Amino acid sequence: MSNFSIDTKCVQGGYTPSNGEPRQIPIVQSTTFKYATSEAMGKLFDLEAEGYFYTRLQNPTNDTVAKKICELEGGSAAMLTSSGQAASFFSIFNIAGAGDHVVASSAIYGGTYNLFAVTMKRMGIDFTFVAPDCSEDELNAAFKPNTKALFGETIANPALVVIDIEKFAKAAHSHGVPLIIDNTFATPVNCRPIEWGADIVIHSTTKYMDGHGVSVGGCIVDSGKFDWTKYPDKFPGLCTPDESYHGVTYTERFGLEGAYITKATAQLMRDFGCIQSPQHAFYINMGLESLHLRMKQHCANGLAVAKYLQNHPKVAWVRFPHLEGDASFELAQKYMPNGGCGVVSFGVKGGRAAAETFMKNLKIAAIETHVADARTCCLHPASATHRQMNDDELTAAGISPDLVRFSCGIEGADDLIADIENALAQV
């Protein structure tokens, strides 16, 4: 459906039923698949034939939804994972191992930061974090001979800093590594990082893609444009024989368009089993069908709330990329001219205690560890998602103790503003 609009792809991408087939994608709720001969199944294990043999690796429902997200992002191949965290982990671990190095923006989701700085460090992978607005010289200085990737978020959660994708892509490619972008907040409706030079795009589908708080999931999309074969010594897992699959070389067998995702499926999904359930993939597809409509309302509500907060005497500061005067305004206009997301970050005068008082007096917005949902929710990151960070790490991530992350749903904007006004009156 490459010639269709993003709206049409949201509704009909990934699946075209034939005569007599279900109009909605089928939920293939089966762990296993039957074959007539061992020889036929053997070809699947040798990656010589397409098909399914165990849902821990692949499932038809999951592949259908992954295909839709792939079409939305303009990629060549994609896979679903059990969560956004699994997508973040797989995206790096597929090309980096013990003794390797990765450069990442410091303004990223707290769970991702902990995954990189603590858990993956214990696995022998070293990370260097750079400010998203660093200079080109500072960015280039962070790379090392053993660097395997550059990672960032389109719109940082919850700092709401917009990354300069072209600048980061230029740096990554000059050092012979791919740029991996987490596009969860913007979604492909508002930004398609591959068009700006990103090589791999990941999502927490739990957020806007699902949009209804019913399914946890993740997705990895490969652009198929990064030439791994130019750097065989840097990426031996893709460019040399894999003995665990009878010596297959992924770039030779599947080309640049399929090597990365095939390896992630054949190796990582096989060994870690972070598969998304077919039922959850079905729910995500239902959310995707209205994504293009919901994002317009999320963004409109976000802007209305940001403008209101900007002039409130009890609010110390407001961050919203599409609010005129915001530090990321120009980049937001460049990469997301039609809107970014519905999340607003702001500080309540009086610090942590004032923020907590404000939040407990909200009626419509619920305090949740969730974000980017049809229902408005809010969170105090320093006490929740980012509580594992020290003060210096919080500052580097763009998070202050008074920061409230307010995720505007698709309710009426006037009702959201009235709820905020009432809660601030109690501070």
Side-chain angles (χ1 to χ4, degrees), residues 5-7 9-10 68-75 154 182-196 201-205 208-209 219 221 288 291-292 295 335-336 338-340:
S5 68
I6 196 80
D7 296 8
K9 290 177 182 178
C10 281
K68 173 179 281 191
I69 298 174
C70 188
E71 290 179 358
L72 292 173
E73 286 288 6
T154 310
D182 184 332
N183 197 33
T184 296
F185 268 18
T187 82
V189 169
N190 287 331
C191 183
R192 285 172 287 283
I194 291 172
E195 296 178 359
W196 297 99
V201 175
I202 66 171
H203 288 274
S204 170
T205 59
Y208 286 123
M209 285 189 170
C219 184
V221 180
L288 287 170
L291 181 63
H292 58 299
M295 288 307 294
Y335 293 116
M336 296 163 280
N338 297 319

Coordinates of all heavy atoms in Angstrom, one line a residue, residues 5-7 9-10 68-75 154 182-196 201-205 208-209 219 221 288 291-292 295 335-336 338-340:
S5 N -2.3 7.0 1.5 CA -2.0 7.9 2.6 C -1.8 7.1 3.9 O -2.2 6.0 4.0 CB -3.1 8.9 2.7 OG -4.3 8.2 3.2
I6 N -1.2 7.8 4.8 CA -1.0 7.2 6.2 C -2.3 6.9 6.8 O -2.4 5.9 7.5 CB -0.2 8.2 7.1 CG1 0.4 7.5 8.3 CG2 -1.0 9.4 7.5 CD1 1.7 6.7 8.0
D7 N -3.4 7.6 6.5 CA -4.7 7.4 7.1 C -5.2 6.0 6.6 O -5.7 5.2 7.4 CB -5.7 8.5 6.7 CG -5.3 9.8 7.3 OD1 -4.2 9.9 7.8 OD2 -6.1 10.8 7.1
K9 N -3.4 3.6 5.4 CA -2.5 2.5 5.9 C -2.9 2.1 7.3 O -2.8 0.9 7.7 CB -1.0 2.9 5.8 CG -0.5 3.0 4.4 CD 0.9 3.5 4.4 CE 1.5 3.7 3.0 NZ 2.8 4.2 2.9
C10 N -3.2 3.1 8.1 CA -3.7 2.8 9.5 C -4.8 1.8 9.5 O -4.9 0.9 10.3 CB -4.0 4.1 10.2 SG -2.6 5.1 10.8
K68 N 1.8 -4.1 9.1 CA 1.2 -2.8 9.0 C 2.1 -1.7 9.6 O 2.2 -0.6 8.9 CB -0.1 -2.8 9.8 CG -0.8 -1.5 9.9 CD -2.1 -1.5 10.7 CE -3.3 -2.0 9.8 NZ -4.6 -1.8 10.5
I69 N 2.7 -1.9 10.7 CA 3.5 -0.9 11.3 C 4.7 -0.6 10.4 O 5.2 0.5 10.3 CB 4.0 -1.3 12.7 CG1 2.8 -1.5 13.6 CG2 5.0 -0.3 13.3 CD1 3.1 -2.0 15.0
C70 N 5.2 -1.7 9.7 CA 6.3 -1.5 8.8 C 5.9 -0.6 7.6 O 6.7 0.3 7.2 CB 6.7 -2.9 8.3 SG 8.2 -2.9 7.3
E71 N 4.7 -0.8 7.1 CA 4.2 0.1 6.1 C 4.0 1.5 6.5 O 4.3 2.5 5.8 CB 2.9 -0.5 5.6 CG 3.0 -1.8 4.8 CD 1.6 -2.3 4.3 OE1 0.6 -1.7 4.6 OE2 1.6 -3.4 3.7
L72 N 3.6 1.7 7.8 CA 3.4 3.0 8.3 C 4.7 3.8 8.4 O 4.8 5.0 8.2 CB 2.7 3.0 9.7 CG 1.3 2.5 9.7 CD1 0.8 2.3 11.1 CD2 0.4 3.5 9.0
E73 N 5.8 3.0 8.8 CA 7.1 3.7 9.0 C 7.9 3.7 7.7 O 9.0 4.4 7.6 CB 7.9 2.9 10.1 CG 7.4 3.2 11.5 CD 7.8 4.6 12.0 OE1 8.3 5.4 11.2 OE2 7.5 4.8 13.2
G74 N 7.5 3.0 6.7 CA 8.2 3.0 5.4 C 9.5 2.1 5.5 O 10.5 2.4 4.9
G75 N 9.4 1.0 6.3 CA 10.5 0.1 6.4 C 10.5 -1.1 5.5 O 9.6 -1.2 4.6
T154 N 12.5 10.3 19.3 CA 12.0 11.4 18.5 C 11.6 12.5 19.4 O 12.0 13.7 19.3 CB 10.8 11.0 17.6 OG1 11.1 9.8 16.9 CG2 10.4 12.0 16.7
D182 N 13.6 5.7 18.8 CA 12.3 5.3 19.4 C 11.3 6.4 19.0 O 11.4 7.5 19.4 CB 12.5 5.3 20.9 CG 11.3 4.8 21.7 OD1 10.2 5.0 21.1 OD2 11.4 4.2 22.8
N183 N 10.3 6.0 18.2 CA 9.3 6.9 17.7 C 8.0 6.8 18.4 O 6.9 7.1 17.8 CB 9.2 6.7 16.2 CG 8.5 7.8 15.5 OD1 8.7 9.0 15.8 ND2 7.7 7.5 14.4
T184 N 8.0 6.3 19.6 CA 6.8 6.0 20.4 C 5.8 7.2 20.5 O 4.6 7.1 20.2 CB 7.1 5.5 21.8 OG1 7.8 4.2 21.6 CG2 5.8 5.3 22.6
F185 N 6.4 8.4 20.9 CA 5.5 9.5 21.2 C 4.9 10.1 19.9 O 3.8 10.5 19.9 CB 6.2 10.6 22.0 CG 6.1 10.4 23.5 CD1 5.6 9.2 24.0 CD2 6.4 11.4 24.3 CE1 5.4 9.1 25.4 CE2 6.2 11.3 25.7 CZ 5.7 10.1 26.3
A186 N 5.8 10.3 18.9 CA 5.3 10.9 17.7 C 4.4 10.0 16.8 O 3.5 10.5 16.2 CB 6.5 11.4 16.8
T187 N 4.7 8.7 16.8 CA 4.1 7.7 16.0 C 4.3 8.0 14.5 O 4.6 9.2 14.2 CB 2.6 7.6 16.2 OG1 1.8 8.6 15.5 CG2 2.2 7.6 17.7
P188 N 4.2 7.1 13.6 CA 4.5 7.3 12.2 C 3.4 8.3 11.6 O 3.6 8.8 10.5 CB 4.4 6.0 11.6 CG 3.7 5.1 12.5 CD 4.0 5.6 13.9
V189 N 2.3 8.5 12.3 CA 1.3 9.5 11.8 C 2.0 10.9 11.8 O 1.7 11.7 10.8 CB 0.1 9.5 12.7 CG1 -0.8 10.7 12.4 CG2 -0.7 8.2 12.6
N190 N 2.8 11.2 12.7 CA 3.4 12.6 12.8 C 4.8 12.7 12.4 O 5.3 13.8 12.1 CB 3.2 13.1 14.2 CG 1.7 13.5 14.5 OD1 1.0 13.9 13.6 ND2 1.3 13.4 15.7
C191 N 5.6 11.5 12.5 CA 7.0 11.6 12.1 C 7.4 10.2 11.6 O 7.1 9.2 12.3 CB 7.8 12.0 13.3 SG 9.6 12.1 12.8
R192 N 8.1 10.2 10.5 CA 8.7 8.9 10.0 C 10.2 9.1 9.9 O 10.7 9.6 8.9 CB 8.1 8.6 8.6 CG 6.6 8.0 8.8 CD 5.9 7.9 7.5 NE 5.5 9.2 6.9 CZ 4.5 9.9 7.3 NH1 3.7 9.5 8.3 NH2 4.2 11.0 6.7
P193 N 10.9 8.7 11.0 CA 12.3 8.9 11.1 C 13.1 8.4 10.0 O 14.2 8.9 9.7 CB 12.7 8.2 12.4 CG 11.4 8.3 13.2 CD 10.3 8.1 12.2
I194 N 12.7 7.3 9.3 CA 13.4 6.7 8.2 C 13.6 7.7 7.1 O 14.6 7.7 6.4 CB 12.8 5.4 7.8 CG1 12.9 4.3 8.8 CG2 13.4 4.9 6.4 CD1 12.1 3.0 8.5
E195 N 12.6 8.5 6.9 CA 12.7 9.5 5.8 C 13.7 10.6 6.1 O 14.1 11.3 5.2 CB 11.3 10.2 5.7 CG 10.2 9.2 5.2 CD 8.9 9.9 5.1 OE1 8.8 11.1 5.4 OE2 7.9 9.2 4.7
W196 N 14.2 10.7 7.4 CA 15.1 11.7 7.8 C 16.5 11.1 8.1 O 17.4 11.8 8.5 CB 14.7 12.4 9.0 CG 13.4 13.2 8.8 CD1 12.1 12.8 9.1 CD2 13.3 14.5 8.2 NE1 11.2 13.8 8.8 CE2 11.9 14.8 8.2 CE3 14.2 15.4 7.7 CZ2 11.4 16.0 7.7 CZ3 13.7 16.6 7.1 CH2 12.4 16.9 7.2
V201 N 13.8 1.8 13.6 CA 12.8 2.5 14.4 C 12.1 1.5 15.3 O 11.7 0.5 14.9 CB 11.7 3.2 13.5 CG1 10.6 3.9 14.3 CG2 12.4 4.3 12.6
I202 N 12.0 1.9 16.6 CA 11.3 1.1 17.5 C 10.1 1.8 18.1 O 10.0 3.0 18.1 CB 12.2 0.6 18.6 CG1 12.7 1.7 19.5 CG2 13.4 -0.2 18.0 CD1 13.4 1.3 20.7
H203 N 9.2 1.0 18.7 CA 8.0 1.6 19.4 C 7.7 0.8 20.6 O 7.9 -0.5 20.6 CB 6.8 1.5 18.4 CG 6.8 2.4 17.3 ND1 6.3 3.7 17.4 CD2 7.2 2.3 16.0 CE1 6.5 4.3 16.2 NE2 7.0 3.5 15.4
S204 N 7.1 1.5 21.6 CA 6.3 0.8 22.6 C 4.9 0.9 22.1 O 4.3 2.0 22.2 CB 6.5 1.5 24.0 OG 5.5 1.0 24.9
T205 N 4.4 -0.2 21.6 CA 3.0 -0.1 21.0 C 2.0 0.0 22.1 O 0.8 0.2 21.8 CB 2.8 -1.4 20.2 OG1 2.9 -2.6 21.0 CG2 3.7 -1.5 19.0
Y208 N 0.4 5.1 22.2 CA -0.6 5.6 21.3 C -1.1 4.5 20.3 O -2.3 4.5 19.9 CB -0.1 6.8 20.5 CG 0.0 8.0 21.2 CD1 1.3 8.7 21.4 CD2 -1.1 8.6 21.9 CE1 1.4 9.9 22.1 CE2 -1.0 9.8 22.6 CZ 0.3 10.4 22.7 OH 0.4 11.6 23.4
M209 N -0.2 3.6 19.9 CA -0.6 2.6 18.9 C -1.8 1.8 19.4 O -2.7 1.5 18.7 CB 0.5 1.7 18.5 CG 1.5 2.4 17.5 SD 2.7 1.3 16.8 CE 3.5 2.4 15.6
C219 N 7.6 -3.0 19.0 CA 7.8 -3.3 17.6 C 9.2 -2.7 17.2 O 9.6 -1.7 17.7 CB 6.7 -2.7 16.7 SG 6.9 -3.1 15.0
V221 N 11.3 -1.9 13.6 CA 11.2 -1.7 12.1 C 12.6 -1.4 11.6 O 13.2 -0.5 12.0 CB 10.2 -0.6 11.7 CG1 10.1 -0.5 10.2 CG2 8.8 -0.8 12.3
L288 N -4.5 0.7 16.0 CA -3.9 1.3 14.8 C -5.0 1.8 13.8 O -4.7 2.8 13.1 CB -3.0 0.3 14.1 CG -1.7 0.0 14.8 CD1 -1.0 -1.2 14.1 CD2 -0.7 1.2 14.8
L291 N -5.6 5.3 14.8 CA -4.5 6.1 15.3 C -4.4 7.5 14.6 O -4.2 8.5 15.3 CB -3.2 5.4 15.0 CG -1.9 6.0 15.4 CD1 -1.8 6.2 16.9 CD2 -0.7 5.2 14.9
H292 N -4.7 7.6 13.3 CA -4.6 8.8 12.6 C -5.6 9.8 13.1 O -5.4 11.1 13.0 CB -4.7 8.6 11.1 CG -6.0 7.9 10.7 ND1 -6.3 6.7 11.1 CD2 -7.0 8.4 9.9 CE1 -7.5 6.3 10.6 NE2 -7.9 7.3 9.9
M295 N -4.6 10.8 17.1 CA -3.4 11.7 17.2 C -3.7 13.2 17.0 O -3.2 14.0 17.7 CB -2.3 11.2 16.3 CG -1.6 9.9 16.7 SD -1.0 9.9 18.4 CE 0.3 11.1 18.3
Y335 N 10.4 18.4 11.8 CA 10.2 17.0 11.7 C 8.7 16.6 11.9 O 8.3 15.5 11.5 CB 11.0 16.3 12.8 CG 12.5 16.4 12.5 CD1 13.3 17.0 13.4 CD2 13.1 15.8 11.4 CE1 14.7 17.1 13.1 CE2 14.4 15.9 11.1 CZ 15.3 16.5 12.0 OH 16.6 16.6 11.8
M336 N 7.9 17.4 12.5 CA 6.5 17.1 12.8 C 5.6 18.3 12.6 O 5.0 18.8 13.6 CB 6.4 16.6 14.3 CG 7.2 15.3 14.6 SD 7.4 15.0 16.3 CE 8.8 16.1 16.6
N338 N 2.7 18.6 11.5 CA 1.3 18.5 11.8 C 1.0 18.2 13.2 O -0.2 17.9 13.6 CB 0.7 17.4 10.9 CG 0.8 17.7 9.4 OD1 0.6 18.8 9.0 ND2 1.2 16.7 8.6
G339 N 2.0 18.2 14.1 CA 1.8 17.9 15.5 C 2.7 16.7 15.9 O 3.2 16.0 15.1
G340 N 3.0 16.7 17.2 CA 3.9 15.7 17.8 C 3.2 14.7 18.6 O 2.9 13.5 18.2

